[in-house]
Structure formats: structure tokens, C-alpha cells
Amino acid sequence: MSSYGIPPTLFILINAVCFQLVWWAGVLAQNQLLLLSILLIISHFLLSPSARHDALVMGVCGAIGIAVDSLLVWFGVFEFANIPYWLGLLWLYFALCLDYSLSVFRKLPLWLQSVLGGVFGCLSYLAGAKFDAVELPLGDAWSALILALIWSGLFPVLLLISSKKLPYYNGGSRFGES
């Protein structure tokens, strides 16, 4: 249980709902609802059963995600009208989902993690493009192929990183772990 006595299943549900709120706020309002995303990230830590580990996972996996998206901008796969601060916050909250609402994917074989990561990672960006949150100068087909390939490797790697005891982590436990 978390320090506030929230049952694990409820915390996982809250985690999933908050991620959807961060995604929709970013995609629909871009940088206009940054405060909402920031407050949801802070709320996660206030309720978390393992805030220190979550902070490390958020830092490492969030940085990897932001770096990948930055490279996609650099190589012309993505274009944004303004600096997408919302996308950075989305990456940070996504990283906070790896140990909770997305942890069920760890039980799947690596090949299935890869396939699901490729499909759903790609679809998330294509949906964002349909809402004008990101432009895909290479077109939908090429962008989808590139994103599917990247996410098929990225998602399993992020799951693996989040499941490990990271440096400087020496206490606390997530749900069901000792």
C-alpha cells in the first residue's frame, strides 16, 4: 500500500487514468495545459508506494524518450509549431506508468512486447498527428514504419529498465515486490 493507504489496484487505475489525462491535455491543448500535467506528476509522487524508485525511472526512461523524440525532430520525422514541452511531460508520465499500469506487459514474451510496443507506440503518434499536435512531414506511411520500428525496440527496453533496481535505489518496494 502507498503511504495514504490506497489499494494497489486503485493506484494502478489512477495511474492509467492520469496518463490518459496527460496525453489528451497535451494532444488537444499542447502547451496550454502544462500545469495540469505537472500537477498529475506531483500527485503520482504524493500517492506512490515507491517515490524514490519512480523518480529514478522517470528520470532515466523519460530522458531516453525525450532524446528519441528529439532525434526524430532532428531527422525530420516530426515537426512542431512550438517547442512541445507537453511532450516532455507526457514522456515523464509515461515513464511513471511502466511500473504500474503498463507493468502487465512485463509478463509477456519479449516478441509480444515488441509487437505491441511497435503497434501502440506508432498509433499514439499517428493519433496525435490527426489532432494536429505533431506534423509528420514524411507522411503517415513512412512515419508509421519508422515509429513502429523504433517503438518495437524502445518499449521492451523501457520495461526492462523500469523493472531493475537502479543505482542509488536502496529502499521501498513497489506493489507485490520485496
Side-chain angles (χ1 to χ4, degrees):
M1 290 228 178
S2 73
S3 57
Y4 290 96
I6 295 175
T9 304
L10 179 58
F11 185 78
I12 290 168
L13 179 62
I14 291 169
N15 178 261
V17 169
C18 287
F19 175 73
Q20 291 302 311
L21 288 172
V22 171
W23 192 90
W24 283 103
V27 167
L28 295 178
Q30 282 92 49
N31 290 335
Q32 296 175 355
L33 289 176
L34 294 178
L35 184 57
L36 173 64
S37 296
I38 291 167
L39 290 173
L40 290 171
I41 289 170
I42 291 169
S43 297
H44 173 91
F45 285 102
L46 292 174
L47 300 174
S48 174
S50 185
R52 188 171 182 176
H53 177 77
D54 291 353
L56 288 167
V57 169
M58 183 181 76
V60 172
C61 293
I64 291 169
I66 291 167
V68 167
D69 278 356
S70 296
L71 288 171
L72 289 169
V73 170
W74 179 266
F75 286 109
V77 178
F78 295 160
E79 283 183 6
F80 294 95
N82 298 304
I83 296 173
Y85 297 111
W86 64 270
L87 187 56
L89 291 170
L90 179 59
W91 266 109
L92 296 179
Y93 207 94
F94 179 80
L96 293 174
C97 294
L98 293 167
D99 279 331
Y100 302 102
S101 56
L102 295 175
S103 67
V104 66
F105 290 96
R106 279 196 198 116
K107 298 175 183 172
L108 301 176
L110 183 61
W111 69 268
L112 190 52
Q113 289 176 3
S114 183
V115 168
L116 293 173
V119 169
F120 291 112
C122 170
L123 288 176
S124 180
Y125 286 93
L126 292 176
K130 295 299 178 201
F131 287 103
D132 296 324
V134 61
E135 291 182 39
L136 304 172
L138 302 178
D140 288 353
W142 280 110
S143 299
L145 177 63
I146 292 165
L147 289 166
L149 289 172
I150 289 170
W151 271 90
S152 67
L154 184 60
F155 187 55
V157 167
L158 294 175
L159 286 171
L160 179 66
I161 291 169
S162 71
S163 70
K164 299 295 180 192
K165 297 259 182 176
L166 297 172
Y168 309 110
Y169 176 72
N170 61 2
S173 66
R174 290 168 282 163
F175 300 120
E177 296 179 4
S178 50

